[in-house]
Amino acid sequence: MQRNRHSMLTSLLLVGGISLIIGFISGYPGWVISITLFCWALVQIRQFNKLVHWFHTRDEELEPPEASGHWGELFDEFSRLQRRQASREALLRNVITRFQDSTSALQDAIIIIDRNNNLEWWNRSANQLLGLDDAADRGKPVMNLLRDPRFVRYYKRGQYSDPITLTSPTRDDIKIQYHITRFGEADRLLVARDVSRLMRLEQTRQDFVANASHELRTPLTVIRGYLETFLDQELPKPLSRGLDSMQQQARRMENLVSDLLLLSRLEASLHISDEQPIQIHSVIQHIMEGAEQLGRDKGHQFNVDIAPNYDLAGQEIELHSAFSNLVYNAVRYTPANGIIKVRWWVDEQGGHFSVKDNGPGIESIHLPRLTERFYRVDESRSSASGGTGLGLAIVKHVLARHNGQLTIKSKVGKGSTFACHFPLEIVTQFELDESSVESLK
Ligand code: ADP
């Protein structure tokens, strides 16, 4: 461009100089200069018009107008710029097409949600899996598409470390797992995956465990019945010792079978279907009676602290089972004269139930695996305590069905705290009347 400016100035000076000489020779310098400059200006205007016309013709293939000198250079320069721009555009278009092709080939639905919670973009699988309509749904709020209250809760809570699995909004026989990731400033990427096949396999496994446990129940009941009858008789010492031990093992097997059955019932659905009001105070009171009975030879000190006017909405049998597992574990694993603290309280995060003991504690390497089925820190300690190895797995499942979480804190030699945390949505508050205050005393 700099060169063009110089060559234009040179040509102007050249034309001006020559016309000045001719003007002096002819004796009409003024006229000659004026006419020459007028012609020069006409030529420039014509070239300029050609350039403007070329710019306005949007045909990228059209060659620039023919011109010589500085105008020719200028046209070539523009033509080069245009070609460079076109190849850059083609490259970008190619990248976008490849991105769209690859996302369309994905079986998972991918949806981009903007900062205002509206649907911004999605791939082809989203149309099939979630029934999105390209024309009608673009820019619509995501909550219009996925109205399930559990999804809305998951979306609003903003903690997306774990996915959530729900029935498809378009077909009842399809289970979809949703996982949200944040990106950019406040945008979200929602990935939805059809997990029906996995769920069916899991269902087959659960059915097998449930059926096997159920089938084991009847023979066990018969064995236990006979053992009881035999033990009622006068028997020689070695024989009664043997039968005693058989009865203990049969009882353990019965506990195992009933825990397995409970677990497979809990696994049958991811969430509880109907929420009932639960009187937390009376549930805990009932568990504490059982705990005192269980630890009657150990002389434990029980310390119970319950926020009186808060309850939960959920499944009472399940929560009773989860809370009692934690309290009974504390009783079983804490040596004689231990202190066991049971608390129920509510804060801005939600409702919390905790059991703290000053028992042997658990090494930190075991903590992440503690809720796995049959995972035991110390086999001999657990067998002696009569546990089934399924207690904490049951607790975990019950909490997941109530959108809750289990946290475990423990220090070897100091004790352990097992806490259940529930979202505020299922905490209910009520006014205390006189009779409730009386019953709390
Ligand atoms: P179990 O039936 O063996 O008690 P759980 O699933 O209830 O099975 O517990 C798993 C393991 O966690 C137990 O075997 C035990 O080693 C450990 N555990 C659970 N609660 C406590 C506790 N309060 N103190 C120490 N260890 C515990």
Side-chain angles (χ1 to χ4, degrees):
M1 286 291 166
Q2 189 78 4
R3 234 176 60 225
N4 275 323
R5 217 166 56 214
H6 285 311
S7 71
M8 208 159 180
L9 196 66
T10 321
S11 89
L12 179 63
L13 288 176
L14 203 70
V15 169
I18 293 171
S19 61
L20 201 65
I21 294 167
I22 297 173
F24 277 119
I25 295 169
S26 63
Y28 301 103
W31 277 104
V32 174
I33 288 182
S34 307
I35 291 167
T36 313
L37 285 182
F38 179 71
C39 293
W40 187 85
L42 271 182
V43 171
Q44 306 307 320
I45 289 169
R46 195 166 158 260
Q47 299 289 27
F48 181 74
N49 282 342
K50 273 191 198 170
L51 183 67
V52 171
H53 174 73
W54 180 59
F55 273 156
H56 286 163
T57 317
R58 302 230 163 219
D59 186 357
E60 282 165 15
E61 299 296 313
L62 195 73
E63 284 297 312
E66 279 299 324
S68 59
H70 52 266
W71 281 105
E73 279 176 35
L74 197 64
F75 289 168
D76 288 346
E77 188 73 31
F78 276 129
S79 169
R80 246 193 316 277
L81 274 177
Q82 194 190 39
R83 276 201 300 276
R84 210 176 304 154
Q85 176 78 5
S87 80
R88 210 172 295 154
E89 261 176 37
L91 195 77
L92 277 176
R93 212 171 296 135
N94 196 21
V95 170
I96 292 173
T97 315
R98 279 179 68 75
F99 172 75
Q100 281 179 336
D101 285 351
S102 56
T103 51
S104 311
L106 276 179
Q107 304 233 322
D108 298 346
I110 299 174
I111 302 169
I112 294 179
I113 302 165
D114 68 17
R115 60 178 61 212
N116 301 316
N117 306 317
N118 296 330
L119 303 168
E120 188 176 307
W121 177 91
W122 55 86
N123 66 349
R124 209 178 300 148
S125 300
N127 298 62
Q128 289 145 15
L129 208 58
L130 304 172
L132 282 186
D133 186 298
D134 282 346
D137 292 329
R138 207 167 297 277
K140 294 268 168 66
V142 62
M143 256 74 102
N144 275 16
L145 161 76
L146 299 163
R147 291 162 190 265
D148 190 315
R150 284 162 296 183
F151 178 83
V152 175
R153 235 180 268 162
Y154 171 72
Y155 187 85
K156 286 188 176 162
R157 200 177 317 142
Q159 288 165 1
Y160 305 132
S161 50
D162 293 320
I164 181 173
T165 305
L166 301 168
T167 306
S168 155
T170 51
R171 275 176 58 181
D172 286 348
D173 57 331
I174 291 183
K175 293 271 181 259
I176 296 182
Q177 189 182 67
Y178 300 95
H179 203 168
I180 296 178
T181 312
R182 290 178 192 279
F183 75 99
E185 280 183 18
D187 302 295
R188 292 173 174 92
L189 185 76
L190 169 67
V191 179
R193 175 174 302 166
D194 181 351
V195 287
S196 318
R197 208 176 75 85
L198 266 178
M199 302 280 281
R200 270 196 295 275
L201 281 174
E202 179 67 5
Q203 187 63 47
T204 315
R205 185 190 65 78
Q206 284 168 16
D207 288 350
F208 171 75
V209 175
N211 291 338
S213 314
H214 193 76
E215 291 301 320
L216 278 170
R217 242 185 175 173
T218 322
L220 262 174
T221 315
V222 176
I223 292 170
R224 275 251 291 156
Y226 274 113
L227 284 171
E228 257 163 41
T229 320
F230 293 153
L231 279 166
D232 281 347
Q233 322 283 316
E234 271 296 320
L235 293 167
K237 257 233 157 93
L239 191 59
S240 79
R241 237 194 339 256
L243 287 176
D244 247 346
S245 162
M246 281 166 81
Q247 196 185 34
Q248 252 177 37
Q249 294 304 323
R251 207 172 291 144
R252 246 187 101 194
M253 276 173 82
E254 261 184 351
N255 289 342
L256 200 63
V257 165
S258 72
D259 272 3
L260 276 171
L261 275 172
L262 174 61
L263 248 185
S264 49
R265 259 201 305 276
L266 293 175
E267 284 176 331
S269 66
L270 291 166
H271 301 279
I272 49 170
S273 47
D274 56 330
E275 297 177 345
Q276 296 149 1
I278 302 167
Q279 291 184 352
I280 291 294
H281 176 259
S282 65
V283 169
I284 296 179
Q285 222 164 30
H286 187 240
I287 293 171
M288 294 322 292
E289 281 163 22
E292 273 166 29
Q293 186 71 14
L294 183 70
R296 62 186 176 278
D297 306 328
K298 288 183 147 181
H300 288 324
Q301 183 188 321
F302 291 102
N303 190 331
V304 184
D305 177 11
I306 305 173
N309 53 336
Y310 289 102
D311 276 344
L312 272 183
Q315 284 283 332
E316 181 159 345
I317 300 174
E318 291 183 19
L319 287 174
H320 186 282
S321 170
F323 292 177
S324 62
N325 264 309
L326 296 181
V327 175
Y328 296 166
N329 271 355
V331 174
R332 286 191 283 123
Y333 293 110
T334 306
N337 303 319
I339 302 171
I340 294 167
K341 290 183 182 162
V342 176
R343 262 187 92 196
W344 160 247
W345 77 104
V346 173
D347 59 21
E348 61 277 4
Q349 261 106 49
H352 314 271
F353 171 82
S354 76
V355 182
K356 185 173 182 205
D357 64 56
N358 62 346
I362 306 159
E363 268 185 82
S364 58
I365 49 156
H366 297 295
L367 297 183
R369 299 195 56 193
L370 225 50
T371 54
E372 286 175 19
R373 282 148 223 235
F374 301 115
Y375 186 84
R376 275 144 170 174
V377 175
D378 179 345
E379 191 62 44
S380 56
R381 200 204 284 168
S382 301
S383 306
S385 75
T388 60
L390 295 171
L392 292 179
I394 291 175
V395 176
K396 189 178 121 181
H397 272 85
V398 169
L399 293 187
R401 281 164 57 83
H402 288 78
N403 291 319
Q405 265 183 326
L406 173 71
T407 55
I408 308 169
K409 284 188 195 144
S410 192
K411 264 209 172 119
V412 177
K414 291 256 155 75
S416 318
T417 306
F418 290 76
C420 307
H421 307 280
F422 300 93
L424 262 185
E425 296 95 65
I426 62 166
V427 175
T428 50
Q429 188 176 11
F430 59 91
E431 292 293 322
L432 280 177
D433 55 22
E434 267 179 37
S435 63
S436 338
V437 175
E438 268 313 301
S439 78
L440 291 172
K441 281 180 185 163

